[in-house]
Amino acid sequence: MIDHSHPGADTLRRNEAALETAVKGASQLAQERTLLLREITLATQEKAQERQIFLIVINLADTKNYDEIIRIFGYKLADDLLSIRLADMDFVGTRQTAYRVGFWSVGLIFRARNKRDYDEELDRMLSVLAKPVICRGIPVAIKAGVGICDLMKASGSAEDLLQATYLAGQAGAASPLGVAECSYDSTVDHRRAFLLISDAAHSLATPYEFSLRYQARVDLKTGKCDAAECFLRWRHPTLGTVMPDEFIPLVEMTGLIRELTIWVLTASIAQMSSWHALGHQLKVCVKISSKNLEEEDFTQRVAALLENHKLAPEFLELEFSERRSVPDIESARARLRELRDLGVNISIDDFGTGTNSFGALESFTANAVKIDRRLIQSIVDNPRRQALVKSMIRMAHDLDMYVVAEGVESPAMLEMLGNWRCDYAEGFVINRPIPAEAFIEWYATRFASAK
Ligand code: C2E
Ligand code: CA
């Protein structure tokens, strides 16, 4: 209960009221969605010879557009816009019931007697949606989209069909015609993505589902291996091996990226510490997500792991990339500074292919840059790319950073990079990412005796 005599009571009361409205809104949406799901199930069971039955989801505004509206006009006007647009859509309810299925979307079952009937209904919807909404005298253009699923042809559960049509509505908003048909592939992809997101937490807690592979980094001056970079692999119980390029971006959309990175750090730091105990003084390079840099206690967690495993911070290198944008530059900067102060090395990954690589050198204090493998792989017979890589190396050195070339696949590339004074190289020409036991065996036979 709230003490209403408190000076902040009004604010609290307002917050409480807003929360109550939001909760009510969410449960109403869930109820309407359930009703539509029941209609979809009934419609798919109908043996309609003379009719075509469609599920239609109208996305009243795409999310980017909505965010922009909020930024420019504020929440109040955005809410008013939604009410006006929903009232505009009243016509869809004249022949069939329209249900709210999302904050900005409505869904309905449309039974067309023939093709003409269908075309007319669609035109009617698109022409209403194309008009700007007049809100407090201001005409505001809203980008809407219509998603369509032919229920007589589609297969799958009512939920899958609704999800796929919802996605088609979003695709419709992005297309010039404003309409998109539901694609079965997108349902399969989204079902797979959903499965991966929902299973990640369980897999992280299950031994052997996630594991690490190690790849050598070699000093181009001495030819010795000084570090191992680790890459994550996921053996999903039903989907088999899933590669990080697929699951990392999905996990990054959830709060679980925090647990995932800590899992990788714990496993790799423990591994390194046991190799140090055997006399192999290797560094370990771990890729972190830019989202991790927003975690206020990230540095403390890294420090605690190093401490627990008795590994000196200089043996850890954290790689981060700007490829998937850095959401909060200020906290990222502060976190990188803390990590550097702790004695951990920082490298900017994917250098040379991001949209803002040179900006990254300015914004973030790092010890190293890693030139992206796509750039490295194109150097062999491309003089312009060669000039680019050479100048990147020079520039990094001028800024007191060392340079790692990744994705080196041939001895010719290795030689070229050595001649350009690139400091380190990684790639299939040296070794592929392999499990820990295989890596240390490989390392011991090649390098350990020459130490
Ligand atoms: P990345 O950081 O650019 O990693 C390099 C990728 O190139 C790795 O793929 C590696 O196996 C591969 N590679 C290494 N040498 C060569 C080569 O000579 N030729 C070619 N063609 N490829 C080479 P992988 O393991 O599939 O990882 C893909 C991406 O997934 C990584 O790109 C990284 O962004 C992300 N990733 C991998 N492990 C982790 C992790 O533990 N945490 C995070 N946050 N991301 C990870
Ligand atoms: Ca990389």
Side-chain angles (χ1 to χ4, degrees):
M1 277 305 287
I2 297 167
D3 169 10
H4 291 284
S5 61
H6 189 273
D10 265 358
T11 320
L12 285 174
R13 221 174 3 243
R14 269 200 305 276
N15 289 347
E16 212 182 38
L19 190 64
E20 208 171 291
T21 317
V23 170
K24 258 193 212 145
S27 66
Q28 193 185 338
L29 279 184
Q31 275 172 20
E32 294 207 21
R33 209 178 296 131
T34 310
L35 290 173
L36 180 60
L37 287 172
R38 208 170 54 199
E39 278 214 38
I40 297 171
T41 310
L42 291 174
T44 51
Q45 288 161 358
E46 239 173 75
K47 293 265 170 284
Q49 254 94 38
E50 294 175 17
R51 278 184 173 192
Q52 291 168 297
I53 309 182
F54 299 91
L55 167 64
I56 294 181
V57 173
I58 304 167
N59 179 18
L60 298 170
D62 77 0
T63 37
K64 258 204 213 127
N65 190 200
Y66 181 58
D67 287 346
E68 219 167 16
I69 292 171
I70 291 181
R71 216 177 24 247
I72 298 170
F73 299 106
Y75 282 103
K76 180 77 186 77
L77 193 129
D79 286 349
D80 291 353
L81 279 176
L82 174 62
S83 316
I84 297 172
R85 182 75 341 153
L86 278 172
D88 284 346
M89 299 314 296
D90 258 1
F91 73 91
V92 296
T94 54
R95 280 168 56 187
Q96 54 274 313
T97 313
Y99 301 96
R100 292 278 299 282
V101 289
F103 188 62
W104 273 96
S105 44
V106 292
L108 58 117
I109 302 287
F110 174 58
R111 291 175 170 79
R113 283 180 294 268
N114 48 41
K115 174 87 173 63
R116 211 176 113 199
D117 200 18
Y118 168 81
D119 287 344
E120 275 176 10
E121 184 74 8
L122 195 59
D123 280 351
R124 204 149 67 105
M125 278 181 201
L126 292 173
S127 66
V128 174
L129 293 170
K131 285 191 196 124
V133 177
I134 313 287
C135 184
R136 296 188 218 156
I138 309 166
V140 184
I142 301 187
K143 195 133 183 31
V146 176
I148 298 180
C149 173
D150 183 341
L151 290 179
M152 294 299 99
K153 289 190 190 143
S155 61
S157 70
E159 282 210 16
D160 285 345
L161 295 173
L162 180 57
Q163 191 189 0
T165 318
Y166 179 86
L167 293 169
Q170 288 181 330
S175 82
L177 293 176
V179 55
E181 279 184 26
C182 139
S183 122
Y184 182 67
D185 283 353
S186 76
T187 333
V188 173
D189 287 353
H190 282 85
R191 235 184 279 162
R192 182 176 162 99
F194 181 73
L195 193 67
L196 292 175
I197 288 179
S198 28
D199 288 350
H202 183 257
S203 289
L204 275 175
T206 312
Y208 310 118
E209 287 199 9
F210 279 104
S211 61
L212 294 177
R213 301 287 178 273
Y214 293 85
Q215 185 178 35
R217 175 171 102 180
V218 162
D219 183 326
L220 286 170
K221 275 197 259 12
T222 63
K224 284 190 190 163
C225 167
D226 81 313
E229 174 165 4
C230 68
F231 298 108
L232 194 55
R233 295 288 177 271
W234 183 2
R235 263 188 70 177
H236 186 275
T238 53
L239 301 173
T241 301
V242 189
M243 297 300 275
D245 269 338
E246 181 179 7
F247 67 79
I248 297 277
L250 293 171
V251 174
E252 276 180 342
M253 284 161 49
T254 72
L256 206 64
I257 190 66
R258 177 180 161 95
E259 272 63 46
L260 184 123
T261 301
I262 288 296
W263 187 98
V264 175
L265 281 166
T266 311
S268 58
I269 289 173
Q271 187 63 72
M272 240 2 89
S273 160
S274 72
W275 286 344
H276 278 220
L278 295 173
H280 307 311
Q281 300 281 96
L282 284 163
K283 279 186 188 171
V284 66
C285 308
V286 179
K287 174 111 182 182
I288 60 168
S289 156
S290 52
K291 286 258 170 70
N292 297 127
L293 296 174
E294 285 181 13
E295 295 161 19
E296 285 195 358
D297 61 347
F298 186 69
T299 312
Q300 286 88 314
R301 290 201 297 150
V302 172
L305 282 173
L306 290 167
E307 174 72 32
N308 285 349
H309 294 280
K310 304 274 170 283
L311 189 74
E314 75 232 42
F315 289 107
L316 175 64
E317 183 160 317
L318 297 179
E319 304 183 358
F320 99 101
S321 148
E322 266 204 316
R323 185 146 48 114
R324 292 192 273 273
S325 70
V326 179
D328 178 353
I329 300 251
E330 272 320 306
S331 56
R333 257 194 215 143
R335 208 90 325 116
L336 291 174
R337 223 173 296 126
E338 286 168 13
L339 289 160
R340 291 255 340 237
D341 289 347
L342 179 68
V344 167
N345 298 293
I346 303 291
S347 58
I348 300 175
D349 197 18
D350 302 328
F351 193 75
T353 53
T355 46
N356 197 17
S357 290
F358 294 95
L361 292 183
E362 259 275 272
S363 310
F364 307 110
T365 45
N367 310 76
V369 294
K370 295 192 70 182
I371 304 183
D372 192 87
R373 66 181 188 278
R374 279 150 290 196
L375 195 56
I376 294 296
Q377 278 159 7
S378 63
I379 59 172
V380 180
D381 40 31
N382 186 334
R384 288 180 71 87
R385 292 285 170 94
Q386 293 175 5
L388 198 64
V389 171
K390 261 194 271 186
S391 52
M392 281 180 180
I393 297 172
R394 245 192 330 259
M395 186 183 58
H397 285 164
D398 286 346
L399 292 167
D400 277 335
M401 296 164 112
Y402 54 87
V403 183
V404 184
E406 60 169 37
V408 183
E409 292 185 349
S410 69
M413 284 157 83
L414 212 52
E415 197 186 326
M416 239 182 223
L417 290 158
N419 290 340
W420 300 338
R421 306 201 185 293
C422 176
D423 305 278
Y424 298 96
E426 291 174 6
F428 293 171
V429 71
I430 301 158
N431 74 351
R432 289 190 175 247
I434 44 179
E437 311 72 51
F439 178 86
I440 206 61
E441 207 181 301
W442 174 90
Y443 172 82
T445 43
R446 288 221 176 185
F447 301 101
S449 54
K451 235 179 358 136

mmCIF file of all heavy atoms in Angstrom, residues 229 231 287 319 321 323 348-351 370-374 406 426, ligand 2:
data_model
loop_
_atom_site.group_PDB
_atom_site.id
_atom_site.type_symbol
_atom_site.label_atom_id
_atom_site.label_comp_id
_atom_site.label_asym_id
_atom_site.label_seq_id
_atom_site.Cartn_x
_atom_site.Cartn_y
_atom_site.Cartn_z
ATOM 1 N N GLU A 229 42.258 -17.989 -29.042
ATOM 2 C CA GLU A 229 40.945 -17.339 -29.029
ATOM 3 C C GLU A 229 39.895 -18.428 -28.868
ATOM 4 O O GLU A 229 40.018 -19.509 -29.453
ATOM 5 C CB GLU A 229 40.702 -16.587 -30.346
ATOM 6 C CG GLU A 229 39.283 -16.038 -30.397
ATOM 7 C CD GLU A 229 39.016 -14.996 -31.464
ATOM 8 O OE1 GLU A 229 39.918 -14.707 -32.267
ATOM 9 O OE2 GLU A 229 37.875 -14.493 -31.479
ATOM 10 N N PHE A 231 35.956 -19.882 -29.199
ATOM 11 C CA PHE A 231 34.681 -19.751 -29.911
ATOM 12 C C PHE A 231 33.680 -20.725 -29.310
ATOM 13 O O PHE A 231 34.018 -21.867 -29.004
ATOM 14 C CB PHE A 231 34.854 -20.081 -31.402
ATOM 15 C CG PHE A 231 35.809 -19.158 -32.100
ATOM 16 C CD1 PHE A 231 37.066 -19.605 -32.492
ATOM 17 C CD2 PHE A 231 35.466 -17.850 -32.360
ATOM 18 C CE1 PHE A 231 37.948 -18.758 -33.131
ATOM 19 C CE2 PHE A 231 36.344 -16.986 -32.989
ATOM 20 C CZ PHE A 231 37.595 -17.445 -33.381
ATOM 21 N N LYS A 287 35.396 -13.263 -26.844
ATOM 22 C CA LYS A 287 34.528 -12.253 -27.464
ATOM 23 C C LYS A 287 33.388 -11.928 -26.504
ATOM 24 O O LYS A 287 32.727 -12.830 -25.992
ATOM 25 C CB LYS A 287 33.983 -12.821 -28.770
ATOM 26 C CG LYS A 287 32.977 -11.951 -29.437
ATOM 27 C CD LYS A 287 33.521 -11.370 -30.701
ATOM 28 C CE LYS A 287 32.509 -10.448 -31.340
ATOM 29 N NZ LYS A 287 32.967 -9.902 -32.589
ATOM 30 N N GLU A 319 37.446 -9.136 -26.533
ATOM 31 C CA GLU A 319 37.233 -8.547 -27.852
ATOM 32 C C GLU A 319 35.816 -8.040 -27.918
ATOM 33 O O GLU A 319 34.899 -8.727 -27.487
ATOM 34 C CB GLU A 319 37.366 -9.624 -28.929
ATOM 35 C CG GLU A 319 38.672 -10.339 -28.865
ATOM 36 C CD GLU A 319 38.795 -11.345 -29.998
ATOM 37 O OE1 GLU A 319 37.844 -11.505 -30.788
ATOM 38 O OE2 GLU A 319 39.858 -11.970 -30.068
ATOM 39 N N SER A 321 32.980 -5.749 -30.514
ATOM 40 C CA SER A 321 32.823 -5.267 -31.869
ATOM 41 C C SER A 321 31.721 -4.236 -31.929
ATOM 42 O O SER A 321 30.767 -4.287 -31.152
ATOM 43 C CB SER A 321 32.492 -6.482 -32.728
ATOM 44 O OG SER A 321 31.674 -6.129 -33.782
ATOM 45 N N ARG A 323 30.061 -3.959 -34.656
ATOM 46 C CA ARG A 323 29.233 -4.381 -35.796
ATOM 47 C C ARG A 323 27.752 -4.348 -35.427
ATOM 48 O O ARG A 323 26.933 -3.807 -36.130
ATOM 49 C CB ARG A 323 29.634 -5.791 -36.227
ATOM 50 C CG ARG A 323 28.929 -6.271 -37.453
ATOM 51 C CD ARG A 323 29.820 -7.165 -38.283
ATOM 52 N NE ARG A 323 30.496 -8.183 -37.519
ATOM 53 C CZ ARG A 323 30.262 -9.474 -37.659
ATOM 54 N NH1 ARG A 323 29.329 -9.896 -38.478
ATOM 55 N NH2 ARG A 323 30.960 -10.354 -36.981
ATOM 56 N N ILE A 348 39.513 -4.314 -30.454
ATOM 57 C CA ILE A 348 38.336 -3.979 -31.261
ATOM 58 C C ILE A 348 38.283 -5.004 -32.393
ATOM 59 O O ILE A 348 39.191 -5.076 -33.221
ATOM 60 C CB ILE A 348 38.433 -2.543 -31.819
ATOM 61 C CG1 ILE A 348 38.518 -1.546 -30.653
ATOM 62 C CG2 ILE A 348 37.244 -2.236 -32.728
ATOM 63 C CD1 ILE A 348 38.737 -0.109 -31.072
ATOM 64 N N ASP A 349 37.229 -5.799 -32.373
ATOM 65 C CA ASP A 349 37.087 -6.899 -33.329
ATOM 66 C C ASP A 349 36.398 -6.403 -34.607
ATOM 67 O O ASP A 349 35.825 -5.317 -34.617
ATOM 68 C CB ASP A 349 36.235 -8.002 -32.666
ATOM 69 C CG ASP A 349 36.369 -9.334 -33.378
ATOM 70 O OD1 ASP A 349 37.343 -9.516 -34.135
ATOM 71 O OD2 ASP A 349 35.502 -10.192 -33.173
ATOM 72 N N ASP A 350 36.441 -7.222 -35.636
ATOM 73 C CA ASP A 350 35.769 -6.920 -36.917
ATOM 74 C C ASP A 350 36.216 -5.581 -37.494
ATOM 75 O O ASP A 350 35.446 -4.907 -38.170
ATOM 76 C CB ASP A 350 34.224 -6.871 -36.748
ATOM 77 C CG ASP A 350 33.676 -8.179 -36.206
ATOM 78 O OD1 ASP A 350 34.259 -9.223 -36.514
ATOM 79 O OD2 ASP A 350 32.667 -8.134 -35.480
ATOM 80 N N PHE A 351 37.450 -5.187 -37.209
ATOM 81 C CA PHE A 351 37.904 -3.879 -37.649
ATOM 82 C C PHE A 351 37.988 -3.818 -39.169
ATOM 83 O O PHE A 351 38.480 -4.736 -39.803
ATOM 84 C CB PHE A 351 39.267 -3.552 -37.025
ATOM 85 C CG PHE A 351 39.653 -2.116 -37.183
ATOM 86 C CD1 PHE A 351 39.044 -1.147 -36.409
ATOM 87 C CD2 PHE A 351 40.584 -1.732 -38.131
ATOM 88 C CE1 PHE A 351 39.372 0.190 -36.570
ATOM 89 C CE2 PHE A 351 40.922 -0.398 -38.297
ATOM 90 C CZ PHE A 351 40.321 0.565 -37.517
ATOM 91 N N LYS A 370 41.603 -5.968 -34.416
ATOM 92 C CA LYS A 370 41.627 -7.232 -35.152
ATOM 93 C C LYS A 370 41.006 -6.965 -36.508
ATOM 94 O O LYS A 370 39.820 -6.605 -36.583
ATOM 95 C CB LYS A 370 40.789 -8.282 -34.420
ATOM 96 C CG LYS A 370 41.365 -8.633 -33.073
ATOM 97 C CD LYS A 370 40.699 -9.860 -32.528
ATOM 98 C CE LYS A 370 41.100 -11.093 -33.315
ATOM 99 N NZ LYS A 370 40.423 -12.297 -32.838
ATOM 100 N N ILE A 371 41.816 -7.095 -37.541
ATOM 101 C CA ILE A 371 41.283 -6.796 -38.881
ATOM 102 C C ILE A 371 40.398 -7.960 -39.318
ATOM 103 O O ILE A 371 40.795 -9.128 -39.248
ATOM 104 C CB ILE A 371 42.413 -6.513 -39.891
ATOM 105 C CG1 ILE A 371 43.289 -5.374 -39.342
ATOM 106 C CG2 ILE A 371 41.830 -6.150 -41.249
ATOM 107 C CD1 ILE A 371 44.408 -4.945 -40.262
ATOM 108 N N ASP A 372 39.205 -7.621 -39.735
ATOM 109 C CA ASP A 372 38.174 -8.614 -40.038
ATOM 110 C C ASP A 372 38.603 -9.591 -41.132
ATOM 111 O O ASP A 372 39.279 -9.220 -42.093
ATOM 112 C CB ASP A 372 36.911 -7.880 -40.485
ATOM 113 C CG ASP A 372 35.727 -8.815 -40.520
ATOM 114 O OD1 ASP A 372 35.096 -8.968 -39.468
ATOM 115 O OD2 ASP A 372 35.468 -9.412 -41.585
ATOM 116 N N ARG A 373 38.171 -10.831 -40.968
ATOM 117 C CA ARG A 373 38.622 -11.861 -41.905
ATOM 118 C C ARG A 373 38.144 -11.615 -43.332
ATOM 119 O O ARG A 373 38.831 -11.971 -44.280
ATOM 120 C CB ARG A 373 38.209 -13.252 -41.438
ATOM 121 C CG ARG A 373 36.743 -13.533 -41.410
ATOM 122 C CD ARG A 373 36.535 -14.947 -40.899
ATOM 123 N NE ARG A 373 35.144 -15.370 -41.016
ATOM 124 C CZ ARG A 373 34.206 -15.053 -40.136
ATOM 125 N NH1 ARG A 373 34.504 -14.314 -39.089
ATOM 126 N NH2 ARG A 373 32.971 -15.479 -40.311
ATOM 127 N N ARG A 374 37.011 -10.948 -43.494
ATOM 128 C CA ARG A 374 36.541 -10.694 -44.868
ATOM 129 C C ARG A 374 37.479 -9.738 -45.600
ATOM 130 O O ARG A 374 37.683 -9.853 -46.799
ATOM 131 C CB ARG A 374 35.118 -10.136 -44.842
ATOM 132 C CG ARG A 374 34.094 -11.247 -44.665
ATOM 133 C CD ARG A 374 32.885 -10.799 -43.946
ATOM 134 N NE ARG A 374 33.212 -10.534 -42.538
ATOM 135 C CZ ARG A 374 32.324 -10.410 -41.576
ATOM 136 N NH1 ARG A 374 31.055 -10.509 -41.869
ATOM 137 N NH2 ARG A 374 32.692 -10.184 -40.341
ATOM 138 N N GLU A 406 42.844 -11.661 -38.754
ATOM 139 C CA GLU A 406 42.142 -12.941 -38.553
ATOM 140 C C GLU A 406 41.661 -13.514 -39.879
ATOM 141 O O GLU A 406 41.538 -12.794 -40.872
ATOM 142 C CB GLU A 406 40.986 -12.791 -37.562
ATOM 143 C CG GLU A 406 39.934 -11.816 -37.980
ATOM 144 C CD GLU A 406 38.679 -11.892 -37.122
ATOM 145 O OE1 GLU A 406 38.782 -12.112 -35.917
ATOM 146 O OE2 GLU A 406 37.599 -11.740 -37.718
ATOM 147 N N GLU A 426 45.803 -15.101 -37.080
ATOM 148 C CA GLU A 426 44.987 -16.275 -36.718
ATOM 149 C C GLU A 426 44.363 -16.782 -38.012
ATOM 150 O O GLU A 426 44.092 -15.995 -38.904
ATOM 151 C CB GLU A 426 43.790 -15.866 -35.849
ATOM 152 C CG GLU A 426 44.078 -15.392 -34.481
ATOM 153 C CD GLU A 426 42.791 -14.873 -33.795
ATOM 154 O OE1 GLU A 426 41.692 -14.998 -34.380
ATOM 155 O OE2 GLU A 426 42.921 -14.360 -32.708
HETATM 156 CA CA CA B 2 36.472 -11.285 -35.441
#
